[in-house]
Amino acid sequence: NAGVTQTPKFQVLKTGQSMTLQCAQDMNHEYMSWYRQDPGMGLRLIHYSVGAGITDQGEVPNGYNVSRSTTEDFPLRLLSAAPSQTSVYFCASREQGGDQPQHFGDGTRLSIL
Amino acid sequence: GENVGLHLPTLSVQEGDNSIINCAYSNSASDYFIWYKQESGKGPQFIIDIRSNMDKRQGQRVTVLLNKTVKHLSLQIAATQPGDSAVYFCAEIRGDYKLSFGAGTTVTVRA
């Protein structure tokens, strides 16, 4: 099993550009989520999904869209990149049930100029 | 605002000594807690978890203690090794199953 795979690993964008961060998991997990990690702030939840076709907002959803057309994939879209979105983005998945640990990908390091 | 926080942002420990990493949380409704380890350039990796109906749980070289009275969580690492150098996060699961993370403690192991 590859676990949670994120692509790309690094990306530099100009302000106003759009892009999609890819996330795929091969563990048949229903629950998937996206976090951003900024220095001194821990991980903050952007969006999450409890299953295919269902998504919901986390604590910092503005500027990001998600969709969940399959169980395996959970892409994160930046519609119009802003410098404030410079961060490291982590995708995670877990089995259903709140008391299950999340499995994280290795992150996408995104810089917005 | 944050519900979970760590007492110290950095911890330096001599190789072979025991490490104790502390975490305070404010949401008394949280019922599940997790410790993660994050190495440079990697995503967080699950270490150990504990449910709110327990006060101690042990793994391989790690022990998590939960004190619900003072809303305090700690991770103890026995015989700290160079490979233990990383950032450690505590996280809590609230009733809506959303994970809330602290800012992390950077552990540096001295040879």
Side-chain angles (χ1 to χ4, degrees), chain A residues 14-60:
Chain A
K14 295 180 179 179
T15 297
Q17 285 185 313
S18 63
M19 86 160 291
T20 300
L21 280 62
Q22 301 293 342
C23 175
Q25 53 92 9
D26 60 0
M27 297 172 282
N28 202 34
H29 287 168
E30 292 292 328
Y31 187 97
M32 296 185 74
S33 52
W34 276 101
Y35 295 85
R36 60 177 291 173
Q37 184 176 39
D38 301 295
M41 299 193 70
L43 290 114
R44 292 183 290 169
L45 182 65
I46 304 172
H47 285 285
Y48 66 99
S49 168
V50 298
I54 306 170
T55 64
D56 206 346
Q57 297 181 347
E59 59 181 303
V60 288

Side-chain angles (χ1 to χ4, degrees), chain B residues 22-85:
Chain B
N22 295 304
C23 181
Y25 65 96
S26 58
N27 193 331
S28 58
S30 296
D31 49 16
Y32 178 57
F33 302 88
I34 309 172
W35 279 100
Y36 285 94
K37 172 186 180 182
Q38 186 176 23
E39 297 174 311
S40 180
K42 298 288 188 180
Q45 178 183 9
F46 171 83
I47 302 173
I48 192 168
D49 58 3
I50 188 168
R51 290 170 175 74
S52 60
N53 61 352
M54 304 169 68
D55 52 21
K56 180 179 180 180
R57 190 168 187 212
Q58 287 185 293
Q60 186 178 10
R61 280 201 308 119
V62 295
T63 300
V64 55
L65 300 177
L66 176 62
N67 185 330
K68 294 181 288 294
T69 302
V70 295
K71 297 177 188 171
H72 183 268
L73 192 70
S74 69
L75 177 70
Q76 300 177 2
I77 305 174
T80 309
Q81 302 170 359
D84 295 327
S85 292

Side-chain angles (χ1 to χ4, degrees), chain A residues 37 48 90 98-99 102 105 109, chain B residues 36 38 41 43 51 89 97:
Chain A
Q37 184 176 39
Y48 66 99
F90 289 99
D99 58 348
Q102 297 211 39
R109 285 144 187 83
Chain B
Y36 285 94
Q38 186 176 23
R51 290 170 175 74
F89 296 92
Y97 297 152

